[in-house]
Amino acid sequence: MLRRFLNHEKGITGLETAIILIAFVVVAAVFAYTALSAGLFSTQKSQEAVYSGLKEARSTLELRGPVVAPANNTGADGTIKQIAFTVSNVLGGEAIDFTVPTAATANNGLALTGTNSTNKVVINYYDQNQKVTNLFWTITKLGKDDGDSLLETNEKFQITVGNTTNGTSGGNLIDALSADYLGINTTFNLEVVTPVGAVLTIERTIPAYIDTIMNLR
């Protein structure tokens, strides 16, 4: 009887040990799954951050060549009516949409804003006296071009802020900067803001005498 009773106790102890062992295994499996899921989630987020950073870097503009400024009036008290420059993609990266903006009303040198606007690239102007946002601009495609408005690998676009003719089809800098024209000895900045990537900032100074066409070095 005693031997049977002791054998019965051993059986109970073995069963309890098995239950405890199974519980430990289950808890460890749950923790392992949680840790693995957290690791996979972190890896996925890190991958997204890396790809996002690469997209930003590959969607950045590069200034190619001079900044040209045609005059509205020449001389020691002259003014500038346009600013033209050429851009391309750095690293031969992501295409940037340079759809030309819709001109705002009244030929004021500005692009249309709101739901009816067409441009994704915004060009802003500022100097020591003023800041004007969303200027009107046009593009001229130079060299290799596949016919669309996307600035892609090996393509170059010449951006002209303001129109060739004064007072037509959107106006120019004389219209946009009506508060204080861009004249001699003025340091100005143009900001080319793209949907993704870094902002391209162009800083130049107008010399003390304005010629008909100037290369702002």
Side-chain angles (χ1 to χ4, degrees), residues 143-165:
K144 182 179 179 181
D145 163 43
D146 60 5
D148 58 28
S149 296
L150 296 175
L151 180 60
E152 298 168 304
T153 302
N154 298 324
E155 292 185 341
K156 302 178 197 58
F157 286 176
Q158 177 181 287
I159 312 300
T160 302
V161 179
N163 271 357
T164 304
T165 305

Side-chain angles (χ1 to χ4, degrees):
M1 292 286 296
L2 182 59
R3 185 177 300 170
R4 290 179 181 178
F5 180 74
L6 291 177
N7 287 339
H8 182 65
E9 286 292 319
K10 287 182 180 178
I12 294 175
T13 302
L15 181 60
E16 292 175 347
T17 302
I19 293 173
I20 294 172
L21 180 61
I22 292 172
F24 273 116
V25 170
V26 170
V27 171
V30 171
F31 275 111
Y33 175 77
T34 303
L36 183 60
S37 299
L40 291 174
F41 180 77
S42 300
T43 302
Q44 181 182 6
K45 290 300 180 182
S46 300
Q47 186 181 38
E48 290 176 0
V50 170
Y51 285 145
S52 177
L54 286 174
K55 185 176 181 180
E56 289 286 328
R58 289 169 59 87
S59 300
T60 302
L61 291 175
E62 179 182 24
L63 184 65
R64 303 296 296 270
V67 176
V68 178
N72 185 65
N73 298 309
T74 60
D77 57 352
T79 54
I80 300 299
K81 69 178 180 181
Q82 284 181 303
I83 300 172
F85 54 91
T86 302
V87 294
S88 65
N89 265 331
V90 299
L91 302 176
E94 299 288 332
I96 300 176
D97 189 350
F98 272 90
T99 300
V100 175
T102 303
T105 59
N107 293 322
N108 60 0
L110 303 178
L112 187 67
T113 59
T115 56
N116 294 324
S117 63
T118 55
N119 58 305
K120 295 180 175 62
V121 174
V122 175
I123 299 180
N124 305 321
Y125 169 96
Y126 64 92
D127 57 30
Q128 64 267 32
N129 298 317
Q130 61 187 316
K131 179 171 183 177
V132 181
T133 59
N134 203 23
L135 294 169
F136 180 76
W137 51 269
T138 58
I139 63 171
T140 301
K141 300 168 185 177
L142 307 176
K144 182 179 179 181
D145 163 43
D146 60 5
D148 58 28
S149 296
L150 296 175
L151 180 60
E152 298 168 304
T153 302
N154 298 324
E155 292 185 341
K156 302 178 197 58
F157 286 176
Q158 177 181 287
I159 312 300
T160 302
V161 179
N163 271 357
T164 304
T165 305
N166 213 7
T168 61
S169 302
N172 55 30
L173 282 177
I174 299 300
D175 302 307
L177 309 180
S178 56
D180 190 1
Y181 299 146
L182 178 56
I184 64 170
N185 300 323
T186 300
T187 299
F188 69 92
N189 286 268
L190 287 180
E191 294 177 337
V192 184
V193 185
T194 57
V196 293
V199 175
L200 174 63
T201 301
I202 302 171
E203 180 178 312
R204 293 293 187 274
T205 300
I206 304 300
Y209 189 94
I210 295 180
D211 293 320
T212 302
I213 300 292
M214 292 186 303
N215 181 357
L216 302 179
R217 303 181 186 279

